[in-house]
Amino acid sequence: MNPKKGLLTNFLTKRSTRYGVNMLLMILIFLGIIIFIEAISVRHHKRIDLTEDSRYSLSQQSRQVLSSLQKDVKATAFYKEGQRDKDSIRDLLDQFVYHSKRFKFEFIDPDRNPVKANKYKIDSYGTIVVESNGRQEKVYMGDEEKITNAILKATSDKKKTIHFVKGHGENEILDFGKDGYSAAKMALEDENYYVKELFLLREEMPHDASLLVISGPKKDFFEPEIEKIETYIEKGGRVLFMIDPYTSSRIKEFLKKYSVILGDDIIVDVLSRLFGADYLTPVVSNYRYHPITKDFNIASFFPVSRSVEVDKEIKEGISAEILVSTGDGSWSETDKKSIEEGKPAFDDKKDRKGPIPVAAVVTIENKSKGEDDKKTRKASLVVFGDSNFANNTYFRLSGNGDLFLNTIGWLAEEGELIAIRKKRKNISPVVLTRFQGKVVFWSSVIFLPLTVLLIGAVVFQKRRKK
């Protein structure tokens, strides 16, 4: 017999060898099962949210939007390394991916990848760019509602048209000068709107008008133009009025129909000098709660603005509210001569102390029916007492541009986007009775430590006797 063969036979027949081989096989089988389960779970996994308020689940509206996606959607989140809310946004985007195979996302650090940040014109951390089929929507400080609405906008085939009325000395959207609106026009086009001019005296109201903008007319409107605007509103139209002080008396009278009162005054704010601005440029940081100003906490500057009040007796079918107001240190100056001489002074008999409203929102119930549906449509108006805040000089100053774009977005998109109520994080405290409290106290604070001490003492005595 071959000695080497004998040794091998002995080794293989040993009990330890058999046990070792069995153990190795068991380990390999176990690892194989783990790898198989992991491979299956990558493609087919199930999320279960066991929290009472479903805080880790998307709303029904978001799930419906995601399940109906017909186009691929990609979200690019620009967050720097270690940014505080990065993980929570990643968790939120993971939920979007879970509900739709057409949704993907990636994170980009703008500091490490400035080329890509410049490509998307990113100017702040926490910006999320939602893209689909060549269209982009930006979301700042993202949450579920903003991301879902950005998906709706980016995947929409309909591109909305905004018409700027001209013919009365309005701010020109093609003017690149300091008083022009070219910066606003470019920003609106970046938001996927068509921006056109409308010579209202000569042209009829276009059927594709999603929104009408009247920005700083120097001359008054003619009656036929007012009638066209009124007819447009009666059909559920949306209009943004930006009317400077001491101009457009017909527009002023027209707006009274909708419970908006334009003041014959100019707002003076001496605190503006603290920010390096003129005292005729009130600083605005008082925003009423509204979808336009939701989560908006940046100051805005309104150079040479008039007051915009809401009538105390609002007419039936009309809902009107103040949107933006100046600070307590401002007042509405009614003495135009003192303004022209550069010597405004508060007169408690004529002037009104701040806060002074500079913008109002109006919603009008219309009984007329739209062309495309049989439902009752609502008309919406936003009225500002100033048009300069969105011109080329001030558009990029502080929150001015964002306030203008938010207003346009609300007027143009109202009723088409969804509103998602934020989830409340319910706190469920444990309430104990007096007896239960005593049991917990005696058992945890007295009994358990005392037991440990007694056992230790007994052990110590036994060892000492040995």
Side-chain angles (χ1 to χ4, degrees):
M1 184 178 177
N2 192 336
K4 291 183 178 180
K5 189 174 180 181
L7 287 173
L8 180 60
T9 303
N10 289 335
F11 175 75
L12 293 176
T13 54
K14 280 184 177 178
R15 177 182 292 182
S16 60
T17 303
R18 291 201 307 272
Y19 286 157
V21 171
N22 286 337
M23 180 63 69
L24 179 61
L25 288 174
M26 292 294 289
I27 291 173
L28 290 175
I29 291 171
F30 178 74
L31 289 176
I33 292 172
I34 294 294
I35 293 171
F36 178 75
I37 293 174
E38 181 66 19
I40 294 293
S41 65
V42 168
R43 287 183 170 271
H44 308 283
H45 59 279
K46 182 76 175 175
R47 294 172 66 106
I48 301 175
D49 187 354
L50 299 177
T51 57
E52 182 182 2
D53 51 1
S54 301
R55 69 183 64 171
Y56 301 112
S57 301
L58 294 181
S59 65
Q60 181 64 28
Q61 299 100 312
S62 295
R63 294 201 296 270
Q64 286 178 351
V65 170
L66 290 167
S67 62
S68 62
L69 280 180
Q70 300 296 320
K71 302 172 184 175
D72 291 336
V73 177
K74 180 185 176 186
T76 306
F78 290 87
Y79 281 71
K80 64 180 178 180
E81 200 62 40
Q83 193 165 332
R84 189 181 60 178
D85 55 344
K86 184 177 179 180
D87 290 339
S88 61
I89 290 295
R90 186 187 296 278
D91 291 341
L92 179 62
L93 293 174
D94 276 334
Q95 293 180 47
F96 278 77
V97 172
Y98 175 71
H99 288 285
S100 176
K101 293 179 180 178
R102 289 190 173 277
F103 185 87
K104 296 177 181 176
F105 73 90
E106 68 170 335
F107 275 84
I108 298 290
D109 187 336
D111 295 330
R112 295 183 178 180
N113 199 338
V115 174
K116 200 156 190 175
N118 289 332
K119 175 187 172 185
Y120 288 99
K121 299 178 182 177
I122 303 300
D123 53 14
S124 62
Y125 297 116
T127 302
I128 301 173
V129 181
V130 178
E131 299 175 89
S132 180
N133 201 26
R135 298 189 65 174
Q136 292 182 7
E137 288 294 331
K138 288 182 181 176
V139 175
Y140 303 95
M141 307 301 291
D143 57 20
E144 182 190 342
E145 179 180 315
K146 291 179 180 178
I147 295 172
T148 303
N149 282 325
I151 293 172
L152 282 174
K153 289 182 183 179
T155 55
S156 173
D157 293 326
K158 188 177 178 183
K159 195 169 181 178
K160 302 204 170 187
T161 305
I162 300 171
H163 289 271
F164 279 71
V165 176
K166 62 179 296 186
H168 316 86
E170 288 90 348
N171 302 298
E172 296 276 352
I173 56 174
L174 301 177
D175 183 0
F176 286 84
K178 63 183 181 64
D179 297 327
Y181 260 46
S182 60
K185 177 177 181 287
M186 285 190 283
L188 289 173
E189 289 174 340
D190 284 343
E191 299 272 328
N192 294 313
Y193 293 109
Y194 288 122
V195 183
K196 298 179 179 177
E197 293 180 325
L198 177 64
F199 194 63
L200 200 55
L201 189 59
R202 189 173 54 201
E203 303 174 58
E204 292 299 322
M205 191 67 71
H207 294 294
D208 66 344
S210 300
L211 170 63
L212 195 67
V213 179
I214 300 174
S215 172
K218 306 294 186 299
K219 302 293 183 182
D220 227 336
F221 280 58
F222 292 98
E223 279 300 332
E225 294 174 297
I226 296 289
E227 290 172 4
K228 289 179 183 177
I229 296 171
E230 186 172 7
T231 303
Y232 176 64
I233 293 173
E234 286 176 353
K235 292 181 179 178
R238 288 104 191 237
V239 187
L240 171 59
F241 293 93
M242 294 184 283
I243 310 299
D244 295 317
Y246 302 111
T247 61
S248 309
S249 58
R250 280 203 178 98
I251 292 289
K252 178 186 172 185
E253 288 301 314
F254 173 69
L255 288 175
K256 286 181 180 176
K257 290 184 180 180
Y258 305 105
S259 303
V260 176
I261 311 296
L262 292 178
D264 291 322
D265 52 21
I266 293 179
I267 300 173
V268 177
D269 188 355
V270 292
L271 290 179
S272 302
R273 292 174 174 171
L274 297 176
F275 301 92
D278 185 73
Y279 60 83
L280 295 181
T281 304
V283 181
V284 169
S285 58
N286 296 327
Y287 303 103
R288 303 290 178 88
Y289 182 78
H290 190 272
I292 294 175
T293 54
K294 184 180 178 183
D295 299 329
F296 200 80
N297 55 9
I298 312 171
S300 305
F301 293 79
F302 286 77
V304 192
S305 177
R306 72 198 302 175
S307 63
V308 179
E309 297 281 358
V310 171
D311 200 341
K312 292 179 181 176
E313 296 182 1
I314 298 176
K315 297 175 183 175
E316 186 179 355
I318 293 176
S319 170
E321 58 183 313
I322 298 299
L323 181 67
V324 178
S325 301
T326 61
D328 295 337
S330 61
W331 75 86
S332 63
E333 179 61 62
T334 54
D335 187 356
K336 188 178 179 182
K337 188 177 179 182
S338 69
I339 295 287
E340 293 172 346
E341 293 174 348
K343 299 177 181 177
F346 178 71
D347 184 342
D348 58 359
K349 294 180 181 177
K350 298 180 181 177
D351 302 331
R352 192 158 53 89
K353 202 75 174 156
I356 307 295
V358 295
V361 182
V362 181
T363 304
I364 306 149
E365 296 281 353
N366 279 319
K367 295 180 181 179
S368 60
K369 295 175 181 176
E371 296 178 356
D372 300 326
D373 57 49
K374 296 181 178 180
K375 297 178 182 177
T376 300
R377 301 180 66 189
K378 288 182 180 178
S380 299
L381 315 178
V382 177
V383 182
F384 283 94
D386 175 39
S387 69
N388 298 312
F389 81 98
N391 68 18
N392 292 341
T393 303
Y394 295 96
F395 187 81
R396 301 194 188 284
L397 178 63
S398 193
N400 285 28
D402 291 334
L403 181 60
F404 175 78
L405 293 176
N406 283 3
T407 304
I408 293 286
W410 180 75
L411 284 169
E413 309 288 349
E414 183 193 17
E416 298 182 15
L417 302 183
I418 64 170
I420 299 171
R421 186 176 297 173
K422 287 190 176 179
K423 297 183 177 70
R424 291 183 178 178
K425 294 183 179 179
N426 296 328
I427 299 173
S428 303
V430 177
V431 181
L432 302 177
T433 63
R434 188 182 180 85
F435 174 74
Q436 290 170 332
K438 285 183 178 180
V439 170
V440 171
F441 174 77
W442 282 99
S443 61
S444 61
V445 179
I446 305 297
F447 179 73
L448 285 177
L450 190 61
T451 303
V452 172
L453 284 174
L454 288 173
I455 292 173
V458 171
V459 172
F460 176 75
Q461 286 296 329
K462 284 187 175 179
R463 287 184 176 179
R464 195 177 178 185
K465 288 178 181 177
K466 291 179 181 178

